[in-house]
Amino acid sequence: MDLGTALGLLLGLGFITIGILSNHGDLRWFLDLDAIVVVLGGTFAATLVNYPLKNISNIFKVLGQAFTQEEIGHQEVIEELVIKAELARKMGITALETDLDKVSDNFLRDGLELAINEKDPLRLRNYLELELSNMDRRHSLGQEIFLYMGAYAPAFGMLGTVLGLIIMMTHFSASESGGAIGVEFDVAKKFAELLGGMGLALITTFYGVLLSNLVFLPLAGKLKRKSEEELMVKDIIVEGIIGIHAKDHPIILRERLMTFVPQSKRKQKD
Amino acid sequence: MDLGTALGLLLGLGFITIGILSNHGDLRWFLDLDAIVVVLGGTFAATLVNYPLKNISNIFKVLGQAFTQEEIGHQEVIEELVIKAELARKMGITALETDLDKVSDNFLRDGLELAINEKDPLRLRNYLELELSNMDRRHSLGQEIFLYMGAYAPAFGMLGTVLGLIIMMTHFSASESGGAIGVEFDVAKKFAELLGGMGLALITTFYGVLLSNLVFLPLAGKLKRKSEEELMVKDIIVEGIIGIHAKDHPIILRERLMTFVPQSKRKQKD
Amino acid sequence: MDLGTALGLLLGLGFITIGILSNHGDLRWFLDLDAIVVVLGGTFAATLVNYPLKNISNIFKVLGQAFTQEEIGHQEVIEELVIKAELARKMGITALETDLDKVSDNFLRDGLELAINEKDPLRLRNYLELELSNMDRRHSLGQEIFLYMGAYAPAFGMLGTVLGLIIMMTHFSASESGGAIGVEFDVAKKFAELLGGMGLALITTFYGVLLSNLVFLPLAGKLKRKSEEELMVKDIIVEGIIGIHAKDHPIILRERLMTFVPQSKRKQKD
Amino acid sequence: MDLGTALGLLLGLGFITIGILSNHGDLRWFLDLDAIVVVLGGTFAATLVNYPLKNISNIFKVLGQAFTQEEIGHQEVIEELVIKAELARKMGITALETDLDKVSDNFLRDGLELAINEKDPLRLRNYLELELSNMDRRHSLGQEIFLYMGAYAPAFGMLGTVLGLIIMMTHFSASESGGAIGVEFDVAKKFAELLGGMGLALITTFYGVLLSNLVFLPLAGKLKRKSEEELMVKDIIVEGIIGIHAKDHPIILRERLMTFVPQSKRKQKD
Amino acid sequence: MDLGTALGLLLGLGFITIGILSNHGDLRWFLDLDAIVVVLGGTFAATLVNYPLKNISNIFKVLGQAFTQEEIGHQEVIEELVIKAELARKMGITALETDLDKVSDNFLRDGLELAINEKDPLRLRNYLELELSNMDRRHSLGQEIFLYMGAYAPAFGMLGTVLGLIIMMTHFSASESGGAIGVEFDVAKKFAELLGGMGLALITTFYGVLLSNLVFLPLAGKLKRKSEEELMVKDIIVEGIIGIHAKDHPIILRERLMTFVPQSKRKQKD
């Protein structure tokens, strides 16, 4: 499990809570159902216009990925590929077919299967890279939805504030110019009403900025990072399969694949 | 029909309505014809300067696409291509000519016709990719207009607010410094007038933000998604036609085309 | 003539005028020479720093293009190219030389002349594409100037407002703390003065936003569209000349060139 | 000398001065050393963090380029290249060596020298393009520094305003709640103080916006234009040297190089 | 050590301090632990959601690079490469193996080792460029984190201000409308309270803007510059190793590598 995502969200809410309490604020003032309806509802509605339903229904599955962690060890993948390369060098590439079921990674298994059947190295590379670019295209869609929500949320937050200000001002104006004015005009009370209305109006801005900067944009960032890491492992696998297919010497293959691993980590290994 | 677009627009208006009513606002305050003239009129005028008339007259046709849904099944297209590939492999590529009229997709039909007549695979690919890139160019124009409108609308909303504030302030200033000042200056009434004017001025900002973030930008996003999906199907068709022309084995062709389909969906099929 | 540009500008001013009058504003309040000096003058000065004089002196010529319309029919260009291709196929490419003077488009004429003299198809293509990319480079400069003006105008509008607020506030502060305070302090008059000053200060913001969003940015957009369309016609011409040079069959050439024309328009022709 | 840069800066300051005076402002109000320290000092400090010292020390040299003008005539360069091409065609490329010292442009001289020594046309092109791309990389660094300063200046302007507002508000609040309150509270005086403080606070915003939009961003733009023009001349030289090396016919070479010159200017020549 | 980074940070804080003191502010007003918790805590929490823990734990190591300076002399690297090239030309490439341990730069040593073992120049180049592009990918991640923090900090600053305003306004409103109103309403005291609350609320905006524009964004810029310089040295090394492998003449090799060095510096050398 990726504790960072959950921890970050909790910490963020915690820091905001500290900020509210230390300013002698009341947490209940910040729980406003109507404000949530305008900001979250508006953001959801705009997303519904922006994306086909099937992409949106995918959102929770994509969201799950931001909270889980599949520790993908570059070194382990490289070792697995080098072992396959040794086998293929000694016994021919068809020898890989027997252990194919034991390969856990789908992409590696499909790729090896193709490498066994395909003669032409160029077509093998084309196929693998097409698969990668299509995977990238599907991944970036998930991130994109959160980026869009991160852009819509503050807009609807601002919309709610403008809406609240219009109502407050029109109310104030209407009650004054229309109603009978008493002898003792209570300035203080009116002013208090005005400020209270402004405070309420600002709550949607608060939600919009918070949702965008603590939830939507960072989640889009996390998904992007996860996708980049997965694609880097897939890049290693593609280079490895090409090398196995070309019957590269396992030592040279490992050296080439190790360029994908940060130099600092390589040191530790040696 | 793409229910998402209509549903999103309705939901968005619904949530805003809830926000207005729950704040004890009156919906009529938010229907201001003059504000609509400034924001929508200004946006339309700027778009008229920005785009040739023929592009703008296309806008409603493009808009229709955001509300309709042509469910394009990747799998069906792939199956159709594989069947054609089998036929071409057994009976020669000219055998495809007989059933050409039954092909519903224009792009596929034209492409197959070309594949039958053209010998050189490179020229076939060039032709198909030129067609695709030109189609992409025409599609992105439609999205672009909505993106521009999404940028102009808040600007004209802000312009209307500034305009309203200038009028209100100049009025206030003129009425005071010019007129005779009575013994009992009615602060409350003046202040109410001021706030009323400000409330009115903010309405154009409200329209600008709403139109941009619920209508124009999300519609541009939906059109972009639709175009991307259509182009992906076209990508499959191009790869398929190239494969048929090269007399690829139908099984290998299907495998290659399946890389365009998300792995999760491929699983369900098996 | 491109009526859209002029019509859009007039409509935009019309809608703003309606907005002013319906808010009981006075059009004269919005004609402020000093505000124009700050916004337009500042924008012009920044552009003068930004661009060499010779680019700026070109601005009115470029501006003219946004108001004129050279209806370039894709179909006519294609037909002309197909006729040339037929001639070149039957009589040899040198036969094109006789009618060269009748070709109205400079680019087509120069291209055909080169096609007659140049043997190597690759060098012919290189030359034509170099010409195109240089033309594109020159075009985009004209659009860029308007984009920059569209960015500077609101900045100088805001600058004018800040400047006006500083003056108003310092005046107010100086007159109060420095002068003798009478027995009856006239709050209303002071407040009216304050609001009047603020209203004046906002006028530059009004100009900046209006100039940017109704004039500069849309003009840049229109120039971009015109340039794109011209380049697409040039693309057709390049493909056509290459085809003529390669002695492609006129029917195949027309088919390839037609991919540049939207499918809907192609239908109408058939 | 490039008069445009200096003229633009002077004009810009002039227009702002007119704006101040016509609003009955006092120029001395806008000369505030503390504000300059916060905005210009902060921008300088941020630039110091952002760029290595050696890049910043280069800034004045780069700045000089924005004020000087080296009129580079495309036509003259082309003529010089054509003359070299004629010589190389008649007498062999080594004949160029004798007049090499008379070539004023460093890049052209080094390029010709290489063309004489290098046999392989591909390596010659690689060398020249590597030189060009490295020159481009160094140029864009100079522009980039001004772009960054144009982004930091308004931020520090805003920072100064926020800082001023905090001080003013805390002062006001402290003086009131802490001190003894007299019988006759002088509202007008307090309000005047408040507005005076706000006016002072806004001065840093004024500086930030002015520096960014009249100085930093336009200078970055000018440097970019100068660099683009120089690179275009260098592009012509590269194409010319390649042509001389390939012993192209001088007439064909001139024709190819002329594609870099706008069609309008070419006309005048004929 | 890179004094610029530390100097810039200190200078920036110094200029801000001058700005505070010269405005008769008190530095203690600007030290607000709660504000730090909201802005820095919120930024940290958002970064935690945005990036995997292992990337964030790297942050201090990356930060160190912004403060240290490894003066990499282009000329020295080039001389070293030329010496190696001379040796390889005279004695064969395997002669490089003896002195390999004395090469201090890891990348150069690994590259030379590969050049000795690898026959195929294309595979050698592929390997070296793969290594470079992966190094670039890892570098840009470090810069990216700071760019994100530079975007989150002002957002949380604004969030804190909105939060503070909501609390202040609700407090004010609650205390008025709920409590009994005395005969003599103390306007001045209330107003002082209000302004004090606003001042406090603005402190988070102050922190957000300062952290973003003096710390996070400039640090990201510095890291980007350092990475670019390192990659340029690596580019020189790659070109050099390729040249050594191809047994280029040392003089030609030096000439080619010198294109990476600014022309001004080359002059000094001659």
Side-chain angles (χ1 to χ4, degrees):
Chain A
M1 195 186 152
D2 183 346
L3 287 170
T5 308
L7 191 66
L9 289 172
L10 288 177
L11 268 180
L13 290 177
F15 289 135
I16 299 297
T17 306
I18 291 176
I20 291 173
L21 296 181
S22 70
N23 269 302
H24 311 291
D26 192 326
L27 282 180
R28 280 169 302 174
W29 297 345
F30 290 86
L31 291 175
D32 186 327
L33 194 67
D34 298 325
I36 292 174
V37 164
V38 170
V39 178
L40 218 54
T43 303
F44 174 70
T47 311
L48 213 59
V49 178
N50 206 336
Y51 284 98
L53 279 168
K54 67 175 171 224
N55 292 144
I56 294 178
S57 62
N58 241 349
I59 223 175
F60 291 101
K61 210 182 121 203
V62 168
L63 202 56
Q65 288 168 18
F67 286 92
T68 55
Q69 185 150 25
E70 217 183 304
E71 193 49 73
I72 330 168
H74 293 192
Q75 306 254 358
E76 287 77 50
V77 170
I78 292 173
E79 289 316 314
E80 190 169 2
L81 285 163
V82 168
I83 289 167
K84 297 286 175 203
E86 277 163 1
L87 194 66
R89 250 214 150 198
K90 278 188 218 142
M91 324 263 288
I93 198 160
T94 46
L96 297 176
E97 205 148 28
T98 49
D99 280 343
L100 216 54
D101 293 343
K102 292 190 200 149
V103 177
S104 59
D105 189 279
N106 283 337
F107 183 75
L108 176 54
R109 192 176 53 237
D110 292 2
L112 285 174
E113 200 171 356
L114 201 85
I116 295 166
N117 294 325
E118 178 70 67
K119 283 273 157 59
D120 185 3
L122 200 67
R123 284 176 57 159
L124 176 62
R125 178 177 279 280
N126 279 348
Y127 172 88
L128 292 171
E129 286 181 352
L130 188 58
E131 179 94 29
L132 264 195
S133 86
N134 286 328
M135 191 182 286
D136 188 25
R137 221 183 326 187
R138 289 190 301 266
H139 278 200
S140 62
L141 178 61
Q143 305 153 28
E144 219 191 79
I145 293 186
F146 283 97
L147 280 180
Y148 269 96
M149 291 175 90
Y152 288 135
F156 281 95
M158 189 199 156
L159 194 80
T161 298
V162 170
L163 182 154
L165 289 177
I166 291 173
I167 290 174
M168 182 203 68
M169 286 167 175
T170 318
H171 256 305
F172 194 91
S173 155
S175 73
E176 275 322 304
S177 55
I181 298 162
V183 181
E184 300 249 320
F185 172 66
D186 193 344
V187 174
K189 199 175 165 190
K190 278 290 158 193
F191 199 61
E193 258 179 58
L194 210 72
L195 283 180
M198 238 182 250
L200 264 177
L202 280 174
I203 294 237
T204 54
T205 293
F206 177 81
Y207 278 127
V209 175
L210 186 64
L211 279 171
S212 177
N213 288 287
L214 186 60
V215 184
F216 296 140
L217 295 182
L219 280 179
K222 176 69 68 82
L223 289 169
K224 189 178 157 226
R225 288 292 310 140
K226 299 229 170 212
S227 163
E228 276 173 12
E229 267 186 36
E230 202 184 324
L231 282 175
M232 207 199 249
V233 173
K234 299 286 190 260
D235 269 343
I236 295 177
I237 292 176
V238 167
E239 287 301 316
I241 291 173
I242 301 286
I244 291 169
H245 190 260
K247 294 195 177 143
D248 282 354
H249 194 284
I251 290 173
I252 288 180
L253 182 64
R254 175 188 281 120
E255 204 160 76
R256 192 160 65 238
L257 297 182
M258 287 304 274
T259 62
F260 287 94
V261 181
Q263 210 151 19
S264 60
K265 292 202 177 161
R266 273 182 258 172
K267 288 274 153 62
Q268 299 173 332
K269 197 79 187 180
D270 291 342
Chain B
M1 196 185 150
D2 183 344
L3 287 170
T5 308
L7 192 67
L9 290 172
L10 288 176
L11 269 180
L13 289 177
F15 289 136
I16 300 296
T17 305
I18 292 175
I20 291 173
L21 295 180
S22 70
N23 269 302
H24 311 291
D26 192 325
L27 282 179
R28 280 169 302 174
W29 298 344
F30 289 85
L31 291 175
D32 186 327
L33 194 67
D34 299 326
I36 291 174
V37 164
V38 170
V39 178
L40 217 54
T43 303
F44 174 70
T47 310
L48 213 59
V49 178
N50 206 335
Y51 285 98
L53 278 168
K54 67 175 172 222
N55 292 145
I56 294 178
S57 61
N58 241 348
I59 224 175
F60 290 101
K61 209 182 121 201
V62 168
L63 202 57
Q65 288 169 17
F67 286 92
T68 53
Q69 186 151 23
E70 217 184 305
E71 194 48 75
I72 331 169
H74 293 191
Q75 306 255 358
E76 286 77 47
V77 170
I78 292 173
E79 290 317 313
E80 189 170 1
L81 285 163
V82 168
I83 289 168
K84 298 284 176 201
E86 276 163 1
L87 193 67
R89 251 214 149 196
K90 276 188 216 144
M91 324 262 289
I93 197 161
T94 45
L96 297 176
E97 206 149 26
T98 49
D99 281 342
L100 215 53
D101 294 341
K102 293 190 198 147
V103 178
S104 59
D105 189 279
N106 284 335
F107 183 74
L108 176 53
R109 194 177 52 235
D110 291 1
L112 285 175
E113 200 171 355
L114 202 84
I116 295 167
N117 296 323
E118 178 69 68
K119 285 272 156 58
D120 185 3
L122 200 67
R123 285 176 58 158
L124 176 62
R125 178 177 280 279
N126 280 348
Y127 173 87
L128 293 170
E129 286 181 350
L130 187 59
E131 179 95 29
L132 263 196
S133 85
N134 286 328
M135 192 183 284
D136 188 25
R137 219 183 325 187
R138 289 190 301 265
H139 278 200
S140 62
L141 177 62
Q143 305 153 28
E144 220 190 77
I145 294 185
F146 284 97
L147 280 181
Y148 269 97
M149 290 175 92
Y152 288 135
F156 280 95
M158 189 200 156
L159 194 81
T161 298
V162 170
L163 181 155
L165 289 177
I166 291 173
I167 290 174
M168 182 203 69
M169 285 165 175
T170 317
H171 256 305
F172 194 92
S173 157
S175 73
E176 276 321 305
S177 55
I181 299 162
V183 182
E184 301 249 320
F185 172 68
D186 193 345
V187 174
K189 199 177 164 190
K190 278 289 159 194
F191 199 61
E193 258 179 58
L194 211 70
L195 282 181
M198 236 182 252
L200 264 176
L202 280 174
I203 294 234
T204 55
T205 293
F206 176 81
Y207 279 125
V209 175
L210 186 63
L211 279 171
S212 178
N213 288 287
L214 185 61
V215 183
F216 296 139
L217 296 182
L219 280 179
K222 177 69 69 81
L223 289 170
K224 189 177 158 227
R225 286 294 309 140
K226 298 228 169 211
S227 163
E228 277 173 13
E229 266 185 37
E230 203 185 322
L231 282 175
M232 206 199 249
V233 172
K234 299 286 190 259
D235 270 343
I236 295 177
I237 291 176
V238 167
E239 287 302 316
I241 292 173
I242 301 286
I244 291 169
H245 190 260
K247 292 190 179 146
D248 282 356
H249 194 284
I251 290 174
I252 289 180
L253 182 65
R254 175 189 279 121
E255 203 161 75
R256 190 159 68 239
L257 297 182
M258 288 304 275
T259 62
F260 287 92
V261 181
Q263 210 151 21
S264 59
K265 292 203 178 161
R266 274 182 257 171
K267 288 276 153 60
Q268 299 174 331
K269 197 80 187 179
D270 292 343
Chain C
M1 196 185 150
D2 183 345
L3 287 170
T5 308
L7 192 67
L9 290 171
L10 288 177
L11 269 180
L13 290 177
F15 290 136
I16 300 296
T17 305
I18 291 175
I20 291 174
L21 296 181
S22 69
N23 270 301
H24 310 292
D26 191 325
L27 282 180
R28 280 169 302 173
W29 299 345
F30 289 86
L31 290 175
D32 186 327
L33 193 69
D34 299 326
I36 291 174
V37 164
V38 170
V39 178
L40 217 54
T43 303
F44 174 70
T47 310
L48 213 58
V49 179
N50 206 335
Y51 285 98
L53 278 170
K54 66 175 171 224
N55 292 144
I56 294 178
S57 61
N58 241 349
I59 224 176
F60 291 101
K61 210 182 120 202
V62 168
L63 201 57
Q65 288 168 17
F67 286 92
T68 53
Q69 186 151 23
E70 216 184 303
E71 194 49 75
I72 330 169
H74 293 191
Q75 306 254 0
E76 287 77 48
V77 170
I78 292 174
E79 290 316 314
E80 190 171 0
L81 285 163
V82 168
I83 289 168
K84 298 285 177 202
E86 276 163 2
L87 193 66
R89 252 214 148 196
K90 278 188 214 146
M91 326 261 287
I93 198 161
T94 46
L96 297 175
E97 206 149 25
T98 49
D99 281 342
L100 216 52
D101 294 341
K102 293 190 197 147
V103 177
S104 59
D105 189 279
N106 285 336
F107 183 74
L108 176 53
R109 194 177 51 234
D110 291 1
L112 285 174
E113 200 172 354
L114 202 86
I116 294 166
N117 296 323
E118 179 69 68
K119 285 273 157 56
D120 185 3
L122 201 67
R123 284 175 57 158
L124 176 63
R125 178 179 279 280
N126 279 347
Y127 172 87
L128 292 171
E129 285 181 352
L130 187 58
E131 179 94 31
L132 264 196
S133 86
N134 286 328
M135 192 183 285
D136 189 24
R137 226 193 308 196
R138 289 190 300 265
H139 278 199
S140 62
L141 177 62
Q143 305 153 27
E144 221 190 77
I145 294 186
F146 284 97
L147 280 180
Y148 269 96
M149 292 176 90
Y152 288 136
F156 281 94
M158 188 200 157
L159 194 80
T161 297
V162 170
L163 181 154
L165 290 177
I166 292 173
I167 291 175
M168 182 203 69
M169 285 165 176
T170 317
H171 256 304
F172 194 93
S173 156
S175 73
E176 275 321 305
S177 54
I181 299 164
V183 181
E184 300 250 319
F185 173 66
D186 193 345
V187 174
K189 199 177 164 189
K190 277 290 159 195
F191 199 62
E193 259 178 58
L194 210 71
L195 283 181
M198 235 182 251
L200 264 176
L202 280 174
I203 294 236
T204 55
T205 294
F206 176 81
Y207 280 125
V209 175
L210 185 64
L211 279 171
S212 178
N213 288 287
L214 185 60
V215 183
F216 295 140
L217 296 181
L219 279 179
K222 176 69 69 79
L223 289 170
K224 190 177 159 227
R225 287 293 309 139
K226 298 227 170 211
S227 163
E228 276 173 14
E229 267 186 35
E230 202 185 323
L231 282 175
M232 206 199 249
V233 173
K234 299 287 190 258
D235 270 343
I236 295 178
I237 292 176
V238 168
E239 287 303 315
I241 291 173
I242 300 286
I244 291 170
H245 191 259
K247 294 193 179 143
D248 282 355
H249 194 284
I251 290 173
I252 289 179
L253 182 65
R254 175 187 280 121
E255 204 161 74
R256 189 158 70 238
L257 297 182
M258 288 303 275
T259 62
F260 287 93
V261 181
Q263 212 152 20
S264 59
K265 291 203 180 162
R266 273 182 257 172
K267 287 278 152 60
Q268 299 173 331
K269 198 79 188 180
D270 293 342
Chain D
M1 196 185 151
D2 183 345
L3 287 170
T5 309
L7 191 67
L9 290 172
L10 288 176
L11 269 181
L13 290 177
F15 290 136
I16 300 296
T17 306
I18 291 175
I20 291 174
L21 296 180
S22 69
N23 270 302
H24 310 291
D26 191 326
L27 282 180
R28 281 169 301 173
W29 297 346
F30 290 85
L31 291 175
D32 186 328
L33 195 67
D34 299 326
I36 291 173
V37 164
V38 170
V39 178
L40 216 54
T43 302
F44 174 70
T47 311
L48 213 58
V49 179
N50 205 335
Y51 285 98
L53 278 169
K54 67 174 171 224
N55 292 144
I56 293 178
S57 62
N58 242 348
I59 224 175
F60 291 101
K61 210 181 120 201
V62 168
L63 202 57
Q65 288 168 17
F67 287 92
T68 54
Q69 186 152 24
E70 216 183 304
E71 194 49 74
I72 329 169
H74 293 192
Q75 306 254 358
E76 287 77 50
V77 170
I78 291 173
E79 290 315 312
E80 190 170 1
L81 285 163
V82 168
I83 289 168
K84 297 286 176 202
E86 276 164 1
L87 194 66
R89 253 213 147 196
K90 279 188 214 143
M91 326 261 289
I93 199 160
T94 46
L96 296 176
E97 206 148 28
T98 49
D99 281 343
L100 216 54
D101 294 342
K102 293 189 198 149
V103 177
S104 59
D105 189 280
N106 284 336
F107 183 74
L108 175 55
R109 195 177 50 236
D110 292 1
L112 286 175
E113 201 171 355
L114 201 86
I116 295 166
N117 296 324
E118 179 69 67
K119 286 273 157 57
D120 185 1
L122 202 66
R123 285 176 56 159
L124 176 64
R125 178 178 280 280
N126 280 348
Y127 172 87
L128 292 171
E129 285 181 352
L130 187 59
E131 180 93 31
L132 263 196
S133 85
N134 286 327
M135 191 182 287
D136 188 25
R137 229 197 301 199
R138 290 190 301 266
H139 278 199
S140 62
L141 177 62
Q143 305 153 27
E144 220 190 78
I145 294 186
F146 284 97
L147 280 180
Y148 269 97
M149 292 176 90
Y152 288 136
F156 280 95
M158 189 200 157
L159 195 80
T161 297
V162 171
L163 182 155
L165 289 177
I166 292 174
I167 290 175
M168 182 203 67
M169 286 165 175
T170 319
H171 255 306
F172 194 93
S173 156
S175 74
E176 275 322 303
S177 54
I181 299 164
V183 181
E184 301 249 321
F185 172 66
D186 192 346
V187 174
K189 201 177 163 188
K190 277 289 159 197
F191 199 61
E193 258 179 59
L194 211 71
L195 283 180
M198 235 181 249
L200 264 176
L202 280 174
I203 294 235
T204 55
T205 293
F206 177 81
Y207 279 127
V209 175
L210 186 63
L211 279 170
S212 178
N213 289 288
L214 185 60
V215 183
F216 296 141
L217 296 182
L219 279 179
K222 177 70 69 80
L223 288 169
K224 190 179 159 225
R225 287 294 308 141
K226 299 227 170 213
S227 163
E228 276 173 14
E229 267 186 36
E230 202 184 323
L231 283 176
M232 206 200 248
V233 173
K234 300 287 191 257
D235 270 344
I236 295 177
I237 292 176
V238 168
E239 287 303 316
I241 292 173
I242 300 287
I244 291 169
H245 190 260
K247 295 197 179 140
D248 282 355
H249 194 285
I251 290 173
I252 288 179
L253 182 64
R254 174 187 281 122
E255 205 160 75
R256 190 158 68 240
L257 297 182
M258 288 303 275
T259 61
F260 287 93
V261 181
Q263 212 153 18
S264 60
K265 291 201 180 164
R266 272 183 257 172
K267 286 277 152 62
Q268 300 173 330
K269 199 77 187 180
D270 293 342
Chain E
M1 196 185 152
D2 182 346
L3 288 169
T5 309
L7 192 66
L9 290 172
L10 288 176
L11 269 180
L13 290 177
F15 290 135
I16 300 295
T17 307
I18 291 175
I20 292 173
L21 296 180
S22 70
N23 270 301
H24 311 290
D26 192 326
L27 282 179
R28 280 170 301 174
W29 298 345
F30 290 85
L31 291 175
D32 186 327
L33 195 67
D34 299 326
I36 292 174
V37 165
V38 170
V39 178
L40 218 54
T43 302
F44 174 70
T47 311
L48 213 58
V49 178
N50 205 334
Y51 284 98
L53 278 168
K54 67 174 170 222
N55 292 144
I56 293 177
S57 62
N58 242 349
I59 223 175
F60 291 100
K61 210 181 121 202
V62 168
L63 202 56
Q65 288 167 17
F67 286 92
T68 54
Q69 185 152 24
E70 215 183 304
E71 194 48 72
I72 330 168
H74 293 191
Q75 307 253 358
E76 287 77 51
V77 170
I78 292 173
E79 290 316 313
E80 190 170 0
L81 285 162
V82 168
I83 290 168
K84 297 285 176 204
E86 277 163 1
L87 194 67
R89 253 214 147 195
K90 279 188 214 141
M91 324 263 288
I93 199 160
T94 46
L96 297 176
E97 206 148 28
T98 49
D99 280 343
L100 216 53
D101 294 342
K102 293 188 198 149
V103 177
S104 59
D105 189 280
N106 284 336
F107 183 75
L108 176 53
R109 193 176 52 236
D110 292 1
L112 285 175
E113 201 171 355
L114 202 85
I116 295 166
N117 296 324
E118 178 70 65
K119 284 273 158 56
D120 185 2
L122 200 66
R123 284 176 57 159
L124 176 63
R125 179 178 278 280
N126 279 348
Y127 172 87
L128 293 171
E129 285 181 351
L130 188 58
E131 180 92 31
L132 264 196
S133 86
N134 286 328
M135 190 182 286
D136 188 24
R137 226 191 312 194
R138 291 190 300 267
H139 279 199
S140 62
L141 178 61
Q143 306 153 27
E144 219 190 78
I145 294 186
F146 284 97
L147 280 181
Y148 269 97
M149 292 175 91
Y152 289 136
F156 280 95
M158 189 199 156
L159 195 80
T161 298
V162 170
L163 182 154
L165 289 177
I166 292 173
I167 290 174
M168 183 203 67
M169 286 166 175
T170 319
H171 255 306
F172 194 92
S173 155
S175 73
E176 274 324 301
S177 54
I181 298 163
V183 180
E184 300 248 321
F185 172 65
D186 193 345
V187 174
K189 199 176 165 190
K190 277 289 158 195
F191 198 61
E193 258 179 59
L194 210 71
L195 283 180
M198 237 182 249
L200 263 177
L202 280 174
I203 294 236
T204 54
T205 293
F206 177 81
Y207 279 127
V209 174
L210 187 63
L211 279 171
S212 178
N213 288 287
L214 186 60
V215 184
F216 295 140
L217 296 181
L219 280 179
K222 177 69 70 79
L223 289 170
K224 190 179 158 225
R225 287 293 308 139
K226 299 228 171 213
S227 163
E228 275 173 13
E229 267 186 35
E230 203 184 323
L231 282 176
M232 206 200 251
V233 173
K234 299 288 191 257
D235 270 344
I236 295 178
I237 293 176
V238 167
E239 287 302 315
I241 292 173
I242 300 287
I244 291 169
H245 191 260
K247 294 197 180 141
D248 281 354
H249 193 285
I251 290 173
I252 288 180
L253 183 64
R254 175 188 281 122
E255 204 160 76
R256 191 158 67 238
L257 297 182
M258 287 303 275
T259 63
F260 287 93
V261 181
Q263 210 152 19
S264 60
K265 292 200 179 165
R266 272 182 258 172
K267 288 274 151 65
Q268 300 174 332
K269 198 77 187 180
D270 292 342

